[in-house]
Each structure stands twice: as C-alpha cells, then as structure tokens.
Amino acid sequence: MRITKNMLIGDILRVDGGMAQILMQNGMGCVYCPASSRESLEEACKVHGMDPEKVLGELNSYLDNL
C-alpha cells in the first residue's frame, strides 16, 4: 500500500499507528484530534506549514521498511 496526499489522516493512522510519530515529528502535534482525522494529508500539511511531499516521502519510506 502507498500513502497519497489525498488520504485522510485517520485512514493513514489506521494503516499503521507508527506513522503518527512521523506526522508529529514534522509538526503535526494534533494528530489524534477529531478534525485532523477528517483532513487529507495535503490539507493537514498546509494547515501546519508542512511540506506535503516531504511528509509523504517519509510515510511511504516507513511503510517500505516494515
């Protein structure tokens, strides 16, 4: 499975809970708040001033190394 920018944060966390740490390390401190679970990765990155391509790469790299 590959993570995409259009996936909801809640769906990403359901793929593997370990990805929460990646999101938090990149500046998304409210990973588990109800609003973020309904945002796409791209939307959440914009709200938090994060580079969606960088975060996307880290998430998929994490999955590749499981």
Side-chain angles (χ1 to χ4, degrees):
M1 165 173 242
R2 303 298 291 169
I3 303 300
T4 69
K5 291 186 289 188
N6 297 323
M7 288 180 74
L8 300 179
I9 297 297
D11 292 340
I12 292 170
L13 295 176
R14 280 188 283 283
V15 170
D16 188 292
M19 290 193 274
Q21 186 66 29
I22 295 167
L23 295 171
M24 289 187 284
Q25 287 174 341
N26 278 283
M28 193 179 300
C30 58
V31 172
Y32 293 108
C33 80
S36 72
S37 67
R38 294 184 304 271
E39 289 180 316
S40 71
L41 176 62
E42 186 170 41
E43 291 168 334
C45 285
K46 286 181 182 179
V47 168
H48 292 90
M50 300 161 48
D51 177 4
E53 293 299 329
K54 176 184 180 289
V55 177
L56 183 62
E58 289 182 26
L59 293 171
N60 282 315
S61 179
Y62 171 83
L63 288 177
D64 289 343
N65 291 303
L66 287 180

